[in-house]
Structures are given as C-alpha cells and as structure tokens.
Amino acid sequence: MRYLLFMACCLAAGPQLLAFNETNPLLAAATQAAASSNWDSTAIYLEQIKTQCQAEDNLSDWMAACKKVARAADDMGLPFRAIEYFSLGADPQQFRSPKDSLEWDALGWLHVNIAFTYYQRVGQFAEALEHYRKAKQIIVDDWGVEDYYVGRYIYKTMGNIYTRYGDYQAGEVLLKKYIAISESVGANRDVAQGWCDLAAAYYADGQFEQAQLACEKGLQIPGLGNDTRGILWANLSLALEASEQYEASIALTNTALATLKAEQGQASEGLLDAAIGNIHIRQGNIYLRNQDYQRADQAFQLGFAAYQAYFETDKNREISKIHNRWGALKYEQNDWTGAIAQYQKALACIIPNFELTTDERNPTRTQLFAENSIQEALLGKALALEKRFEDTQKKSDLELALQSHQLIFEVEQALRKTHNYEASRLNSVEETRERCEAAIRVALRLWEVTQNPAYQFTAFEFAERSKSILLLQATSAAKAVAVANIPASKLKEEKALQYRITNLEKQLFGQPNLSDSLQLALENELLELRQAYTLWQDELETEYATYYQLKYNLALPDLATIRSNILRHDQALIEYFVGNETVYAFYIDQEQFEVIQWDRPEDLADMVVQFRADIEQFQFSSQDRTALCDSYTQKAVRLHDELLGRLPNLPTDLLIIPSGILGFLPFEALLTTAPAQACAFESYPYVLKTHCISYSYSLTLQQLLQAGTQSGQADYIGYAPRFDGSAGWGKLANNTLSVDKAAAHFGGQAKIAGAANIRAFQETAPRYEIIQLATHATANTQNADFSCILFSDGANSYDTLFVKDLYLMELEADLVVLSACETAIGKLYQGEGIISLARAFLYAGAKSVVTTLWQINDDATGELLDHFYVNLKNGEDKATALRAAKLSYLEENKSLYAHPVYWAGFTPIGNMKPIYAKHQW
C-alpha cells in the first residue's frame, strides 16, 4: 500500500455549541482546575454544574460546559483527558437524551469534537471514525442537515480516514461530497483542499494520473492563499516522484516548503507545522530511494521537529510513521539493531500501554488494532531481525522475526473489517500475499537451523494465509449461520441490504455516461448502504460469538487431518506459492511432507500467458498452427520441468492449489517429455495420461468444501438458451442437445430456449444438486464482479447474470458444470486468486465446479460431457470421471482434434467426492 503522505489539515471542529454562561463561577473554577491538572477538583466542579443544569433541565449548557473543560485539557496537551470530558457531555446516562433539534445538533457536534481529538491529537482512527459516524447519524441521517459544516468537519475527515485505512472508494465518495458542498457555497479554499485530499487518495491507490489531475484542478481555483497552493504543490510533486522524476519532485517540494514557511502564523487555520513536517518526510523518502542517506536523515529530523511542534506528544500516529522511515533508513545502512530500535519506537508511539524495553519484545495480540503503521513497524522489524541473524546466527532473532510476521496477520484482519468495499479488501489480501514471501522464508530458515519440522508446517500456514481469504470467509460465514442460531429476521435484513447494494452497483456499471451530479448521488447512496452493511456485520459478530469464531477462526488443518479427511489414501497435495524471488511447492502425501523451493524464473508469468495463448488460438483456422504447435510444445515441456519435474515421485491423483499466475495454467496439458513427433497430438505425453488432477483455491477452503456426507444420488437441472448466431453471440448447435441428454441420463430437468431465463435459474437452481449451464459467458478482466453468463430473456434476446448476482444466491449444489466460455477467467489477484464465475458459484455455496479456461468448442464440449456424465453415474469421483472423459475423447479424436484446446480447458475445482456411491472415499 502507498500510505497517505499528506492531506490538507483540518484544525477546527465545527460550529460552536450554545455557550454556557462564561461568567458562571463554577465553570470558571472547573476550567481553571483542568488547566492546572487538578482533576479531583475538576470532577467536583463538573458535578456541581451538572446538578445546576439538571435543576434547570438545561442539557445544552451541560454539554457546553463539558466542551469548555475538555478544551482546557486539550490546551494542556492532554488529549485523552479532553476526550474524557467531551464524552461526559455526550453520555445520556450522565444527564438525559436530547429532546429537540438544537440539543441533538449540539450532541452531534460533541461527537465531532471527540472524533477530531482521536483523529488529530491521538491518531486513533478507529475511535475517530466511530464518533464521526455517530455525528453523521445524528446531524445528517436523523435531522437532514448536510451543510458546509458537515462537509468540512465530517465528510472531509471521514474521507481521509478511509483513505488511510486503504478503503479508497469510500474515501473518494466522501471527499467528492465535501468538494460538491463547498462549491455550492462558493468556499473556494475548501474546494481546493478537497481536490488536494482527493489527490492524496488517488496517489495512495496507485492512480497517479488521477492524482495529478486532481492537484491541477485545485490549483486552477481562483483566490487561493499561498498556504493552500503550497499544499497542492506538495501533493503534485507526488506524481513526479511516481514517474521517478526525483529532482523535479524535490524542486517542487522545496517551492512548497518555502511557500508554507512564509505563511506560518498567518494562515487562517493556524499552524502549518504538520504540512511542513510531511514535506520534509517526503523529501527524506526521495533521498532514501536514491541512497543519499545523510540528506534523508536530515530531512527526517526536520519532519520530526515539525511534527513535535504540532502534536506536542510522541504518542501519535504521524510520529510513529517517522520512526518507521528512520527504521528503513537504518536498514538500508545495514544497521540492523538501529533499525529494530526505530521500529520499536514506532510501535510504542502508536500502541497504547506498549512501552519501550531492552528486550525488543513484541506487543501482545490483544494490544493490536486496525492500523497500518503497526503493520509497517512489525514488517520492518521482522526484516531487520532476519538480516541481523545472518551476522549473529542467534536463533532468537529468527524466532522474534517469525512472531512479528504472525502478528501482522492480526492487524491485517482488523483492517479488512473496516473496509466497506470489496475492492479494498482484495487490495488488502494482495498486500498480505506480498508480505508472506518474507514470512515463509523466515520459517524455513528456522527449520534449517533447528531441523524442527513444525517450522516447515508454519511456512505452509503462511502460504495458506495468503490465499483466497475472502472466499474462505464467505464460505465459513455461510456455514456459521447454520450453527449460530441467527434469527431468520436478521438474515432477511442482510439479504435486503445485499440486494440494494448489488442493484446500485449494477446501475452504476450499466450507465457509464451519467452526469457528475447523478453519479455522485448514486455513489453516495451506495456508500451509505455499504456502511450500513459493515455496521450490520459488526453488530452480528458482536451479538453472536459463535458466528464470529466460526467465521474467522480458520486454522489450517494439521497433517493428520489433511491425510485422513482431505486427501485420499493414494492422493498427493501440491500447493504452490509464487513469490517475487522464489517459488515454493508444499508437497503432502500419506507419508511425506516436503517443501521444495527454487529461484523464480524471470519469464514465468510471460511463459504461462503465452502457453495459454498458444493453446487457445490453435482452434482458429486463421492462425499459424505450425508456429503455435512448436511454441506450445516447447513451453509445455519447460513448464512441466519447472513446476512438476522438481517434485518427488508423484502418485496418479493430485490435488493442486496454484498461486497467482499459475491459476491460468491447465497442468494436464503439460508434457512430461519432448514428443517423438511434432504436432501428432494424440500421441503427445500429456500429464493427463499419467495423472488425475483437481484444483482448489486453498486447502483450508477445501476442507470446508469436503465437509458433510454425499447423498448417493442427485437431481439434475440444465439451462441452455438457444443461440442461432444473432444478437452478437455465436451459434451453439449442441448446447440444447447436451442438456436434454444429460437430463434424460440423470432423470432431471432441462430448461431450453426461452425457459432458460434468469428468473427460472434463480428460482429452481437452489433445489438441485447437479447444475449445468450450457450457454455463452464472458470474462471481465478489469471489473471481475461483472463477468457474466447469458440466459434467455424469455423472448428473442438475452439477459446477463453477473458474478455479483451469484454472490446473492444460496446454492446447495454438489456440482456445477459451466459448459460456457471463459468461466474460470477474470481479474487475477495474486492472493485471492482469479475472480471469476467459477469462484462465484463456490461463493454461492456450490461444493465443486467444472469450469472452462478459454473459448471452448461446441462439438468437443458435447462429446466430453457425455462421457463425463456416464462416468459420474457409474460412481466415479468427479476428477476421475472428467479425466476418463478426456482420455476417451483422445482415443476417439486424432490429429488436430486431439489438440489440448478441445479438452484441456475443462477444469475441476473443489470437492471431488463421487456423487453416486460406488467407491468408499
């Protein structure tokens, strides 16, 4: 994550409460006591004020008094005392609940004061966000006030907090609202600050061009003061830095610094120390990247001094961030102990009740919370400890490094729970995967040092923790609902929210040319719904402890459980982790557990992509098939040697859990050796001929998918819209015939032509154990949740069912067969996997999916599935049934039609247990 470097400062806290009588001697005495840190006297005077206000039934004066005393404490540099007194005024048990709009308004702004103190003075964003939400609920949602003050003092800061948490879409929506409100009242300075903050959000999200455009829009606003221009110039320098124009970026930051320093003491918002400090830190980062360590240190020192002048305490998130940067500097200078010391200081600055000691200990799990500064510090500390081990050979350094990596997962999980948008959670999983490579490396180093196999298994656990976390949580949550006795009324609330969210997202996706105002209105409505759903989930997890435990306690099963409950006696697991530098393969069978590692080939990703393209393009007569054959053959042998040839003698049956780009790879189409005759495809030494392969997203997920017993029989339903080549979709001659034959074979139903519509699918599919969709589909590799599968519209055209729609369904299917194109293709997330239609069916509750990796051939599909269904009915497990179908296809088709494009695209994922009883699993 590119953590936020600067957002325009917000130093006030909204309209004033109704003023309590300034001449009241009790208030004067309470304020003086607070200013003198005489807390006992302060409490006594406040109690007397409360008694007086209660006698007059004057809640407004009570809240105003608490606010004034709180500010006196804040002026003393005691933010937690300030929060205590603000909270007294906001607590209905201290007095009573508000009765009219003025009292409710005053309460709302008290929550803003509490939130602001947590945010700006203490740097505890979770608490700040909670009180901003309460303020918004009172002022905006309950009383309908959405004015300039709400935009400036609620939306602006809430947007910035979401950006800091990595929930960029939520931040963007709120900051756009702040801009729109400011524009409506002609507050040009606020408009410019809004663009400045939005630029920082875009930069943090990696949208560098958008960040530059936002800064340029801000700078075009007339009548800006030099302080605002200086901050905009500072953020504009980020775009130059992102394009590695370091000298130009430094020059622009120098201009910004000079401008801001000239404005100190004159700007209407007061101090600009935080902004100046941030620019120094940014310059230090640039110097650090260019290995100019002396100037980097000087810049960090200046930033540190500026922040101390502003915050008046070291217990602050921004001070923690500087120590993290100093830690990175020490690390680059090979001063491992110095780096660790800085990371310890960073932890002490941000974690309450965590104090510096001489033993370099870590915080406990209970001390951790959602904060990316903690992630940075723990990761930096782990890397420095690993480096120091190379010098000292002290096992304790590796052990502490491993513990640091394990604690990072606790923080990551807390952060993901704050995210309102799936995209933010997916980005978080991506970051988890990036950090996992270092964690796996440390665990395996400990194994080398100690020869304790437990460390090998710990490395395996790290690999698992980086995979399909969101799909796993969705699957476990669905199972947890059945156990936790959650009332049907609660679940109905959830469905209602989910449907409203999905419909709005589809509306936004389907209308890309909306006006800015309508776009913003819909995005705001969507954010409101997503926030409501996040809060609903929080309440559910708090109220139902069993649900929470089952949803999040997703421990990897131990070796004994893997061997007895997941793998068959003759089956082996191969789980890959493809890092930036190293490829790891975790191999488990009934006797062995091995970890094989090797240097990642620089061209691995290109090789996989080209391998798939060589296969897929072969079916088109316009292509140079001889060149494609040669390229495929060469890569098929090399990929086999790279990915399977390094492993021990493999049994026939393999469960493969791929990693990253390997998710696009049909392992069965790899070649064990170079073929004796080029392009004689029926005689090629395919892995298919020696191995039966199935796939899963993660082993922990596989355990959930295999839980429960098979029924020994299954009801079938198939859906096959008619495609005659019109309406932009290719003709399918055999899809309706395939579904009819399967329905007759299983004694099930076939929805053909107009009957194969979305409504029929949504109403009938949840009741069936075998579901086939013989239709067209298309992958959206940019916005994966809008990959779609086609149904009839009941007339002469088609409707699209999106991945998002599938998330809302509740299937009980043992098997879903997707005999449509590209159903396993979507946007690749290295951690979560490929967001595709296949994944969506598992998300919806299916135990297994047979899916397609590319555009499939209609004739070959019908032939393959006929064999597959016969094998299933005869009691074969799904993977064996599909492999046997492919081998039968190869026996019956020679020459060009034995090419992998016609059979290797079908991939079995998930629970491979037989549907019809024949074998004991």
Side-chain angles (χ1 to χ4, degrees):
M1 180 186 293
R2 298 172 183 86
Y3 297 116
L4 182 64
L5 294 182
F6 183 71
M7 295 169 178
C9 291
C10 172
L11 303 179
Q16 299 295 310
L17 290 170
L18 295 177
F20 190 40
N21 187 350
E22 297 292 337
T23 62
N24 186 298
L26 289 175
L27 177 58
T31 306
Q32 180 60 41
S36 304
S37 300
N38 190 339
W39 311 118
D40 290 340
S41 297
T42 305
I44 292 170
Y45 290 130
L46 277 174
E47 188 63 30
Q48 292 175 354
I49 292 171
K50 183 172 69 172
T51 300
Q52 179 180 328
C53 290
Q54 284 177 328
E56 300 171 358
D57 195 28
N58 191 338
L59 176 60
S60 295
D61 276 4
W62 164 243
M63 288 190 284
C66 290
K67 179 177 180 180
K68 186 171 180 61
V69 173
R71 286 191 163 173
D74 191 36
D75 290 342
M76 294 291 293
L78 299 169
F80 286 106
R81 283 286 182 179
I83 290 169
E84 177 186 340
Y85 295 129
F86 282 132
S87 301
L88 275 178
D91 183 1
Q93 293 183 353
Q94 289 289 325
F95 199 102
R96 61 167 170 78
S97 296
K99 293 180 178 178
D100 55 36
S101 61
L102 289 177
E103 290 181 348
W104 278 110
D105 184 69
L107 177 61
W109 287 103
L110 255 185
H111 280 296
V112 172
N113 278 269
I114 298 170
F116 174 81
T117 310
Y118 272 123
Y119 172 72
Q120 197 69 38
R121 305 296 189 217
V122 181
Q124 293 185 5
F125 296 149
E127 291 80 0
L129 191 57
E130 177 186 353
H131 286 280
Y132 278 122
R133 284 171 176 161
K134 288 179 179 178
K136 177 183 172 296
Q137 177 68 46
I138 294 169
I139 299 169
V140 181
D141 301 339
D142 295 343
W143 289 95
V145 177
E146 194 174 52
D147 57 13
Y148 165 76
Y149 296 105
V150 168
R152 179 165 186 166
Y153 298 115
I154 298 179
Y155 292 156
K156 179 182 190 292
T157 314
M158 283 184 74
N160 289 340
I161 292 174
Y162 281 129
T163 297
R164 290 179 183 272
Y165 274 156
D167 200 0
Y168 303 121
Q169 288 173 278
E172 179 183 359
V173 172
L174 287 168
L175 291 171
K176 283 181 176 178
K177 286 186 68 175
Y178 165 51
I179 292 170
I181 290 171
S182 300
E183 285 178 334
S184 69
V185 296
N188 284 1
R189 188 169 184 271
D190 289 279
V191 175
Q193 285 191 349
W195 285 114
C196 182
D197 290 357
L198 195 55
Y202 286 139
Y203 177 85
D205 195 25
Q207 300 184 57
F208 303 130
E209 290 186 8
Q210 287 290 92
Q212 182 172 345
L213 288 172
C215 284
E216 289 170 352
K217 286 183 178 180
L219 288 166
Q220 291 170 4
I221 295 169
L224 297 182
N226 285 335
D227 55 336
T228 305
R229 289 187 177 279
I231 294 171
L232 281 163
W233 284 329
N235 273 0
L236 184 57
S237 72
L238 295 174
L240 301 176
E241 182 186 348
S243 60
E244 299 184 353
Q245 300 179 54
Y246 297 128
E247 291 186 7
S249 180
I250 285 287
L252 194 54
T253 56
N254 283 333
T255 300
L257 270 176
T259 303
L260 292 178
K261 286 180 178 179
E263 291 294 308
Q264 278 186 293
Q266 301 177 31
S268 60
E269 280 193 334
L271 295 174
L272 293 172
D273 294 296
I276 291 169
N278 187 275
I279 297 171
H280 283 305
I281 295 163
R282 185 177 307 161
Q283 289 183 331
N285 289 332
I286 296 172
Y287 292 135
L288 180 57
R289 272 191 289 274
N290 284 280
Q291 299 182 332
D292 189 345
Y293 301 136
Q294 182 178 357
R295 293 212 293 185
D297 184 57
Q298 291 171 349
F300 291 149
Q301 292 282 1
L302 290 169
F304 183 71
Y307 273 160
Q308 281 194 317
Y310 178 71
F311 292 112
E312 300 177 349
T313 175
D314 286 352
K315 284 283 187 179
N316 184 275
R317 180 183 190 272
E318 304 306 329
I319 300 294
S320 176
K321 288 280 188 185
I322 297 180
H323 285 299
N324 279 333
R325 301 316 305 148
W326 260 320
L329 173 60
K330 296 291 185 183
Y331 183 91
E332 290 295 321
Q333 293 174 305
N334 300 331
D335 180 2
W336 319 125
T337 299
I340 294 165
Q342 290 297 329
Y343 290 125
Q344 287 295 96
K345 289 181 179 178
L347 292 170
C349 285
I350 195 65
I351 300 176
N353 302 320
F354 179 73
E355 303 298 334
L356 292 176
T357 62
T358 57
D359 60 1
E360 300 175 346
R361 65 180 174 86
N362 276 323
T364 63
R365 278 179 165 82
T366 57
Q367 289 177 303
L368 301 177
F369 54 92
E371 172 51 59
N372 54 44
S373 295
I374 299 175
Q375 284 179 313
E376 289 178 349
L378 288 171
L379 179 61
K381 179 180 177 180
L383 295 174
L385 284 162
E386 184 186 1
K387 284 290 188 182
R388 192 170 72 178
F389 166 78
E390 295 175 2
D391 295 338
T392 65
Q393 293 298 300
K394 289 184 178 179
K395 185 182 65 161
S396 58
D397 280 346
L398 284 182
E399 290 171 336
L400 190 56
L402 185 66
Q403 185 192 69
S404 300
H405 281 299
Q406 290 168 327
L407 290 174
I408 290 171
F409 283 102
E410 304 293 329
V411 184
E412 288 170 338
Q413 182 168 289
L415 274 168
R416 275 194 292 274
K417 289 181 65 179
T418 69
H419 293 160
N420 294 284
Y421 288 83
E422 184 78 358
S424 301
R425 289 188 283 269
L426 285 167
N427 287 334
S428 172
V429 173
E430 287 296 272
E431 292 166 12
T432 297
R433 182 197 163 276
E434 291 175 9
R435 287 186 281 268
C436 271
E437 183 170 9
I440 292 170
R441 186 175 62 239
V442 168
L444 292 178
R445 280 194 166 194
L446 272 166
W447 171 73
E448 292 168 0
V449 169
T450 65
Q451 290 301 298
N452 183 347
Y455 287 121
Q456 283 184 303
F457 196 78
T458 298
F460 184 33
E461 288 178 315
F462 280 121
E464 271 286 296
R465 284 175 170 179
S466 72
K467 290 186 176 174
S468 300
I469 296 170
L470 304 183
L471 175 57
L472 179 59
Q473 285 185 355
T475 305
S476 62
K479 294 183 180 297
V481 164
V483 178
N485 295 319
I486 299 173
S489 58
K490 290 288 292 184
L491 299 178
K492 189 175 180 180
E493 291 175 13
E494 179 183 32
K495 276 297 178 199
L497 280 169
Q498 288 176 324
Y499 273 111
R500 291 175 66 192
I501 288 169
T502 297
N503 289 335
L504 259 179
E505 287 175 332
K506 288 164 64 176
Q507 187 177 349
L508 284 163
F509 176 78
Q511 301 180 62
N513 298 316
L514 293 172
S515 66
D516 289 346
S517 59
L518 183 55
Q519 175 92 7
L520 181 58
L522 291 176
E523 288 176 349
N524 176 61
E525 186 179 353
L526 177 59
L527 175 59
E528 296 280 343
L529 287 172
R530 284 202 161 276
Q531 287 175 327
Y533 187 45
T534 299
L535 290 173
W536 183 90
Q537 289 177 310
D538 289 343
E539 291 172 2
L540 190 72
E541 291 168 5
T542 301
E543 188 173 352
Y544 297 92
T546 303
Y547 172 80
Y548 180 88
Q549 291 166 1
L550 291 172
K551 180 177 179 180
Y552 293 107
N553 187 20
L554 301 170
L556 177 67
D558 58 25
L559 281 174
T561 303
I562 293 170
R563 287 167 173 153
S564 62
N565 292 357
I566 300 177
L567 298 179
R568 293 189 313 215
H569 71 278
D570 56 351
Q571 187 180 37
L573 165 75
I574 306 170
E575 176 160 339
Y576 292 95
F577 182 93
V578 179
N580 294 325
E581 300 176 356
T582 308
V583 179
Y584 299 92
F586 299 89
Y587 176 86
I588 301 175
D589 62 20
Q590 294 301 326
E591 297 180 353
Q592 302 177 79
F593 171 45
E594 294 188 37
V595 184
I596 302 95
Q597 56 182 300
W598 62 95
D599 292 340
R600 172 179 172 162
E602 292 184 2
D603 63 341
L604 179 62
D606 292 338
M607 189 164 35
V608 171
V609 170
Q610 190 58 53
F611 173 80
R612 276 179 41 81
D614 291 341
I615 294 177
E616 185 175 7
Q617 295 302 311
F618 190 87
Q619 63 187 306
F620 304 119
S621 58
S622 60
Q623 299 292 317
D624 183 345
R625 285 176 166 169
T626 301
L628 289 172
C629 168
D630 291 342
S631 180
Y632 155 70
T633 303
Q634 179 186 9
K635 291 179 177 61
V637 173
R638 186 180 166 203
L639 282 167
H640 171 271
D641 293 346
E642 192 70 42
L643 298 173
L644 293 177
R646 300 175 182 274
L647 306 181
N649 292 329
L650 300 174
T652 299
D653 288 335
L654 300 174
L655 169 60
I656 292 179
I657 299 176
S659 171
I661 194 69
L662 300 186
F664 290 113
L665 191 64
F667 279 75
E668 290 172 309
L670 302 180
L671 301 178
T672 56
T673 61
Q677 181 181 351
C679 304
F681 296 115
E682 68 273 15
S683 64
Y684 265 33
Y686 299 117
V687 166
L688 172 74
K689 295 181 178 180
T690 56
H691 296 289
C692 178
I693 297 176
S694 61
Y695 302 85
S696 192
Y697 284 91
S698 79
L699 189 65
T700 317
L701 175 66
Q702 186 71 8
Q703 182 182 35
L704 291 176
L705 294 175
Q706 290 187 188
T709 59
Q710 308 301 105
S711 65
Q713 60 181 7
D715 294 327
Y716 167 93
I717 189 167
Y719 305 86
R722 199 177 306 281
F723 290 91
D724 58 8
S726 62
W729 296 97
K731 182 178 180 180
L732 294 180
N734 298 315
N735 70 319
T736 55
L737 176 62
S738 174
V739 165
D740 268 333
K741 288 174 67 175
H745 181 70
F746 289 110
Q749 280 201 50
K751 299 286 187 182
I752 303 296
N757 56 70
I758 289 178
R759 182 176 179 180
F761 171 72
Q762 290 174 329
E763 290 179 351
T764 58
R767 302 198 300 269
Y768 286 83
E769 291 172 284
I770 301 176
I771 301 170
Q772 180 182 351
L773 292 102
T775 178
H776 278 298
T778 184
N780 187 326
T781 57
Q782 297 303 313
N783 196 338
D785 281 350
F786 288 98
S787 294
C788 64
I789 194 161
L790 266 71
F791 287 85
S792 171
D793 67 351
N796 296 316
S797 191
Y798 309 103
D799 280 340
T800 53
L801 186 79
F802 294 108
V803 163
K804 278 195 168 297
D805 298 308
L806 287 167
Y807 290 160
L808 299 177
M809 296 189 68
E810 295 179 6
L811 300 178
E812 296 291 338
D814 194 342
L815 171 66
V816 174
V817 179
L818 300 175
S819 52
C821 297
E822 300 180 337
T823 52
I825 302 303
K827 184 172 182 178
L828 172 63
Y829 288 86
Q830 297 290 341
E832 187 65 16
I834 301 166
I835 309 301
S836 63
L837 286 159
R839 177 182 178 274
F841 275 97
L842 294 176
Y843 197 106
K847 294 182 178 67
S848 67
V849 178
V850 170
T851 185
T852 53
L853 288 171
W854 48 67
Q855 297 182 46
I856 56 175
N857 179 275
D858 190 32
D859 294 330
T861 295
E863 193 173 336
L864 261 175
L865 291 183
D866 285 349
H867 287 301
F868 174 56
Y869 288 145
V870 168
N871 297 335
L872 273 183
K873 193 69 179 286
N874 287 338
E876 299 292 346
D877 69 80
K878 296 157 197 159
T880 300
L882 186 59
R883 180 196 181 213
K886 292 175 179 178
L887 291 171
S888 296
Y889 175 87
L890 283 175
E891 289 176 3
E892 297 165 4
N893 292 273
K894 307 299 181 184
S895 188
L896 297 181
Y897 291 101
H899 187 276
V901 71
Y902 298 108
W903 53 266
F906 282 94
T907 302
I909 302 172
N911 180 353
M912 292 295 109
K913 291 182 182 179
I915 296 176
Y916 292 88
K918 172 185 177 182
H919 305 295
Q920 181 67 34
W921 184 262

